[in-house]
Amino acid sequence: MHVGLIGLGKMGFNMRARLRAKGIEVTGFDRNPELTDVTSLADLVAALPTPRIIWVMVPAGQITDGVVKDLSESLSEGDMVIDGGNSKFTDDQVHAALLAQKGIRFVDCGVSGGVWGLENGYGLMAGGDAADIELALPIFDALRPEGDRAESFVHVGDVGAGHYAKMVHNGIEYGLMQSYAEGYELLQAKDIVKDVHGTFAAWQEGTVVRSWLLDLLVKALEEDPGLSSIAGYAEDSGEGRWTVEEAIASSVPAPAITAALFARFSSRQEDSPSMKMVAALRNQFGGHAVKPAAPKAE
């Protein structure tokens, strides 16, 4: 199987490597000449056998809009576009309609796994027509972890459903990180607690709060015990906001996710220990940039 991949950033670069390691031929295109396999979108399209499958892995919003528009003008009837970025589910429906005018198929796929996906595989949530999902299944199987497909891949539903599921996934992630971060601040603040790192490490096996995020929290504290190099400032990618908006639109109470989002807003006003941990966790699982701590006054 031979696929195209547009966008070779932190995620796309590793995805290209994993696909190749699993026996899938990949031609990648990126504006960075040090990363790209071809020099133009036209060269990418020309390099692929028909029906072409092109996976798009670029930032959501205007950049994805532009790539999809370019593909609508470059691809042929029967080709397929898979958007694996963090697009809003409503954008998927617009993109699918645009491509359908030319007979081009569209699948949206939420991808989780961050910078660890190359080694561990990615959790995948796909939306689209069942026949299109079936055609792309070898790609999904190469990207996901080994083992039972149902534990790392799901055909969620119609176009937009994959990114909707990923949006909710990220909303849950907000709440989990905030809980761990607040626990960290509580432990750090109590004078009788002498080993904060060891406490979290002791929760990694046998406790009800064990998780991969907890493992990453322990790793973050090993690398920077007091998180002294990180400012207590945490960005939000947009999906947390969309989750809260959907909760409001559907009259679904989501107090934990909403509070976690608002906590990130508050982090931009003060340097709090819990927000240092949220920033550290975002860096650990997704390679997201952290804001350096301000130098201490002499």
Side-chain angles (χ1 to χ4, degrees):
M1 191 173 200
H2 186 178
V3 302
L5 177 60
I6 298 177
L8 299 171
K10 285 180 294 189
M11 290 280 283
F13 183 85
N14 284 345
M15 290 170 73
R16 177 177 63 176
R18 185 172 176 88
L19 287 168
R20 286 174 173 172
K22 296 293 183 176
I24 292 182
E25 186 176 354
V26 183
T27 300
F29 172 60
D30 193 276
R31 291 182 178 179
N32 185 339
E34 296 180 0
L35 301 177
T36 194
D37 298 317
V38 291
T39 58
S40 68
L41 181 61
D43 288 344
L44 173 65
V45 171
L48 299 175
T50 56
R52 304 173 185 88
I53 300 178
I54 295 183
W55 188 295
V56 178
M57 205 69 192
V58 300
Q62 291 184 346
I63 295 177
T64 296
D65 293 343
V67 170
V68 171
K69 183 177 183 299
D70 289 343
L71 288 173
S72 73
E73 297 168 352
S74 304
L75 296 179
S76 304
E77 184 175 353
D79 292 345
M80 182 190 299
V81 174
I82 303 174
D83 179 6
N86 281 334
S87 294
K88 193 171 184 179
F89 71 97
T90 49
D91 290 345
D92 293 326
Q93 292 152 6
V94 174
H95 295 156
L98 174 64
L99 293 169
Q101 294 175 10
K102 304 289 184 67
I104 302 166
R105 295 175 285 188
F106 178 82
V107 168
D108 62 285
C109 185
V111 179
S112 181
V115 295
W116 297 87
L118 172 59
E119 178 181 353
N120 299 336
Y122 302 88
L124 304 170
M125 298 141 268
D129 184 80
D132 297 340
I133 300 295
E134 185 68 26
L135 182 63
L137 208 51
I139 304 171
F140 298 137
D141 282 342
L143 289 172
R144 67 177 181 82
E146 301 290 340
D148 188 352
R149 182 187 290 156
E151 294 181 354
S152 56
F153 171 81
V154 59
H155 177 198
V156 186
D158 299 333
V159 166
H163 280 146
Y164 194 94
K166 178 56 162 51
M167 175 194 73
V168 175
H169 166 283
N170 280 25
I172 293 170
E173 181 185 287
Y174 273 53
L176 291 173
M177 285 197 290
Q178 188 63 29
S179 293
Y180 283 129
E182 291 173 8
Y184 165 74
E185 183 164 1
L186 275 169
L187 288 167
Q188 186 197 53
K190 194 63 175 177
D191 58 359
I192 62 173
V193 176
K194 306 302 182 185
D195 190 354
V196 175
H197 170 265
T199 301
F200 282 108
W203 294 350
Q204 290 179 281
E205 299 291 341
T207 76
V208 73
V209 298
R210 65 190 185 274
S211 72
W212 184 37
L213 274 176
L214 178 62
D215 295 341
L216 294 175
L217 186 157
V218 172
K219 183 174 182 292
L221 289 176
E222 287 172 353
E223 295 173 354
D224 186 357
L227 303 181
S228 57
S229 66
I230 300 173
Y233 180 106
E235 284 287 1
D236 65 285
S237 62
E239 291 192 281
R241 298 186 189 214
W242 301 340
T243 306
V244 172
E245 290 170 0
E246 279 299 301
I248 294 169
S250 301
S251 299
V252 172
I257 294 172
T258 303
L261 175 65
F262 288 171
R264 294 199 184 187
F265 295 164
S266 69
S267 80
R268 295 157 204 184
Q269 301 166 4
E270 58 182 296
D271 196 32
S272 75
S274 63
M275 283 302 109
K276 284 176 178 281
M277 181 52 71
V278 170
L281 283 171
R282 292 181 81 245
N283 177 259
Q284 286 288 334
F285 73 75
H288 300 290
V290 297
K291 185 177 180 180
K296 293 184 178 180
E298 294 294 333

